[in-house]
Structure formats: structure tokens, C-alpha cells
Amino acid sequence: WSGIGVRVGGRRVCGVGGRYRLRVRAASGSEEDVSEKKAAATGEEVSVDDQGGGATQQLLGIRGAKEETNIWKIRLQLTKPVTWVPLVWGVLCGAAASGNFTWTPVDVAKSLTCMIMAGPFLTGFTQTINDWYDREIDAINEPYRPIPSGKISEEEVRRSNLLKVLPIGGKYPHQLLFPQVKAQIWFLLLAGMATSYGLDRWAEHEFPVMLTLTAFGCFISYIYSAPPLKLKQNGWLGNYALGASYIALPWWAGQALFGTLDWKVMVLTMFYSFAGLGIAIVNDFKSVEGDKALGLDSLPVAFGIDTAKWICVGMIDVFQLLVAGILAYVGELPYAAAICGLVAPQIYFQQKFFLKDPVKNDVKYQASAQPFLVLGILVTGLAVGHHGPL
């Protein structure tokens, strides 16, 4: 359920109320100016609107975030709420593909519960664990993130009012050494697993398919970020794991919750996951410097920016058209035509933004083109729901 690698920002953010330069405490304990760190890493300037723009970015967990000291807002930033959206959308597409979803209070409640499981809990889990294992590379690429900036640490010392009244060893300590990041990882993991089991019971599954999908997704998330496997070190394996987690896993969960998940539909969604691989590559171009420094073999590092950008757009376009071809083959011609129509503006924005400068224009490209891709996923789900078993 990894929503690992979505980057939104990398641009100057100015507001009518003026701006200030954001300062954070680096992991080493010294204070670093984010504008200077950003300029050193990417050649860009970072500034934050002191009237709320930076605060919104902080809550969403994206670039240009406002400096924050509230521990709960920092926890939220660790989960990168902006990355929950594709997983929530995937659940909706899977529910549509089941052909059994109805707009009744019970079905809506089931779908919302599944979305909470996929988004805040499981995507939040994977983003937090990814930030923990990426703290060294984030110190280069995104030094303002909560862990490398020092706003939250593995063993944050927090005051505990409870310990003021509970004797321990004959003393009344006023502080408790508490592993903040690891506690958040475990809480989100267990909350996601418990919710998936509850959904199995709610759907009256004989086999715990929701729990199984959740366990598999969490395993993929762990080996994506953590050594010794650390799939993200390999451009192909890491990005495909990322694409499949964005598209296939939430779709499977949504479809299994309301219907039957068969292998043909699973294969179809895996094709769409190859398009997701291309989207994941888009997010690698701004990280070339940090990836090189830490030995991560991303595709822009392995093939160079010029070759990688063509691999990227090729994966995105070809596999969407392949899905359209499959739908046409099974007789769902209107849906196939709709997907082709949705690919056309993506190709236009690739030419206009991404292929000209993938480092500078990645955000513009994603904001312009990705809505058409995600709409195509819903069209595919509706096609499967209309057709029945493939």
C-alpha cells in the first residue's frame, strides 16, 4: 500500500502576506537554511508563505512545508496525506469493477472504511517507514522532512504527566524515553491489519482475503524501503512495486470487498501498474543527486535523464493503450474508446512539459496529465463491472 515517492512541490510559493525563509534543525543538531540546502541540491529556491500556504503544505506532507513544532502535526506530515488519494481512488475503482456496489448506507460505510484502511492507516504506515529508512537520503533531497530536520526522532523524550503520579523504583520521573517514529509505524500497521480483519468479518468472507491483501501489501512496503532487499535501490523493481501498490492493491481490496476477485482482472490491473511504474519514474528525476550519493540505482541514474524520460512516457502510454485493446477485444468498445481519448491529452502534456525538462516540469506535468490517467482507471473499473468476468 505504498504510496512511496509522490513529490508535489519544488517550486517557489509566495503570498500577499509576505514570506519568510524557513529554518529547521538538521539531523546533526546544527541549524540549516532550507533555501540554501534546496539550492545546493536542486538549484531552486524554497520559500514559504507565512499566511497559511506553508501550513497547508505541512499538513499534506509536501515540499515547501511550514516549520512546525506541534508533535501531532509532525506525525501527520510523516504520513504524507497527499499520497493517500490514489489509494482511496483505487478502492473506488475496485468497488466499481465488482459490479455489486450500490449507493446504500451499508455499502458506502464499507467503502469508506476500506478507504481509511488504505489511505491513512496503510499508506501512512508505508510513508512513515519509508521516511525512517530514507532519513539519510532525505537529508540531501528533502532536509525539511520531520526526521532529518530533527523535529521528531526515533527516541523523542516526551513529558509524561502520568509518570508524575506513578512511582517507579521509588522515584517519580518527569520524563519518558519514548520511540516516537517506531510507535507511529506500529500503530498504523496494527490499525490497518485490524481494520482489514474487520472488513473480512463484515463482508462474511470465508477466507480472510482483505487481511491477506493487507499483509502482502505491508510486506511489499517493508522490503521496498528496508534493507537488505530495499527494492527502491533498483529502478525497475522499486518503481514497479510502487506502481502496483498505487493501482493494483487498492483495486483488489475494493473488488474483493464487494465481489469476487479473479485472476484475469488481477492481470489487467497489473498492466495498469506498469503505467504506474512510469508515473513512479517521474518522481525520480528531482532526486538524481541524492540517489547517486547513496548508491540508489534509479532509472534516471542508470540510463541518464534523456533516456529515462522516454522510458517513462513509453510505459505510461503503451500500457494504457494495451488495457484499451483488451477492453475492445472483450467487446467493451465505448470504454476502450474513452481510455484512448484520455491518453491523448497525456501525450500532449508529455510533449509540452515533461519531455522538454523532466526535472523542472515534473510537477506541472503530473498536475496536468495524471488526472486523465486516474480517470482512465475508473473507466476500466466501470468496464469490468459492466462486462462481468473477463
Side-chain angles (χ1 to χ4, degrees), residues 114-193:
C114 191
M115 290 173 182
I116 292 171
M117 176 192 72
F121 290 157
L122 296 177
T123 307
F125 157 75
T126 56
Q127 291 293 353
T128 305
I129 198 171
N130 184 68
D131 265 30
W132 173 246
Y133 285 107
D134 265 10
R135 58 194 184 276
E136 294 179 355
I137 195 171
D138 281 348
I140 299 173
N141 291 329
E142 301 178 272
Y144 52 83
R145 294 291 300 159
I147 297 176
S149 68
K151 298 190 196 77
I152 187 171
S153 63
E154 179 190 9
E155 294 185 345
E156 181 82 18
V157 177
R158 306 296 299 170
R159 289 197 174 273
S160 172
N161 292 327
L162 178 63
L163 289 182
K164 293 181 180 180
V165 297
L166 292 180
I168 300 179
K171 298 181 180 179
Y172 295 85
H174 286 194
Q175 291 182 326
L176 173 66
L177 193 64
F178 190 67
Q180 291 283 335
V181 178
K182 290 185 177 180
Q184 176 160 323
I185 290 170
W186 278 106
F187 172 80
L188 294 172
L189 172 63
L190 294 176
M193 298 287 282

Side-chain angles (χ1 to χ4, degrees), residues 39-159:
T42 65
E44 297 178 7
E45 181 182 349
V46 173
S47 55
V48 177
D49 182 358
D50 59 4
Q51 294 294 319
T56 300
Q57 290 169 298
Q58 190 277 329
L59 291 176
L60 292 176
I62 60 180
R63 290 180 183 270
K66 179 182 178 181
E67 184 175 10
E68 186 57 68
T69 58
N70 183 291
I71 188 65
W72 295 106
K73 290 183 178 180
I74 293 171
R75 287 184 180 281
L76 182 63
Q77 186 184 8
L78 268 179
T79 67
K80 289 188 180 178
V82 72
T83 65
W84 303 349
V85 178
L87 285 293
V88 170
W89 186 260
V91 170
L92 177 64
C93 295
S98 72
N100 297 322
F101 177 82
T102 58
W103 291 99
T104 60
V106 172
D107 280 3
V108 170
K110 282 183 180 179
S111 64
L112 289 176
T113 303
C114 191
M115 290 173 182
I116 292 171
M117 176 192 72
F121 290 157
L122 296 177
T123 307
F125 157 75
T126 56
Q127 291 293 353
T128 305
I129 198 171
N130 184 68
D131 265 30
W132 173 246
Y133 285 107
D134 265 10
R135 58 194 184 276
E136 294 179 355
I137 195 171
D138 281 348
I140 299 173
N141 291 329
E142 301 178 272
Y144 52 83
R145 294 291 300 159
I147 297 176
S149 68
K151 298 190 196 77
I152 187 171
S153 63
E154 179 190 9
E155 294 185 345
E156 181 82 18
V157 177
R158 306 296 299 170
R159 289 197 174 273

Side-chain angles (χ1 to χ4, degrees), residues 19 65 176 202 217 299 324 332 358 369 380:
R19 57 181 181 161
L176 173 66
W202 198 353
L299 293 185
E332 298 294 339
T380 304

Side-chain angles (χ1 to χ4, degrees), residues 262 264-265 330 384-385 387-390:
D262 66 84
K264 292 181 181 179
V265 172
V330 299
V384 173
H387 184 274
L390 296 178

Side-chain angles (χ1 to χ4, degrees), residues 279-342:
I279 295 298
I281 298 172
V282 174
N283 302 315
D284 288 338
F285 286 92
K286 281 191 178 294
S287 304
V288 170
E289 181 178 334
D291 291 347
K292 286 181 178 178
L294 293 181
L296 298 182
D297 195 23
S298 67
L299 293 185
V301 171
F303 292 94
I305 289 178
D306 288 338
T307 301
K309 69 183 182 182
W310 285 103
I311 295 174
C312 177
V313 298
M315 299 292 290
I316 292 171
D317 298 341
V318 168
F319 282 95
Q320 288 183 89
L321 293 174
L322 179 60
V323 170
I326 293 172
L327 294 180
Y329 177 76
V330 299
E332 298 294 339
L333 294 177
Y335 294 99
I339 291 175
C340 291
L342 291 168

Side-chain angles (χ1 to χ4, degrees), residues 209-248:
V209 60
M210 302 297 292
L211 182 60
T212 301
L213 290 174
T214 297
F216 176 71
C218 292
F219 171 72
I220 295 297
S221 298
Y222 179 79
I223 65 174
Y224 175 87
S225 300
L229 294 180
K230 199 161 189 171
L231 297 182
K232 67 189 303 177
Q233 290 181 323
N234 181 285
W236 292 108
L237 291 177
N239 283 323
Y240 187 72
L242 184 59
S245 298
Y246 266 126
I247 297 171

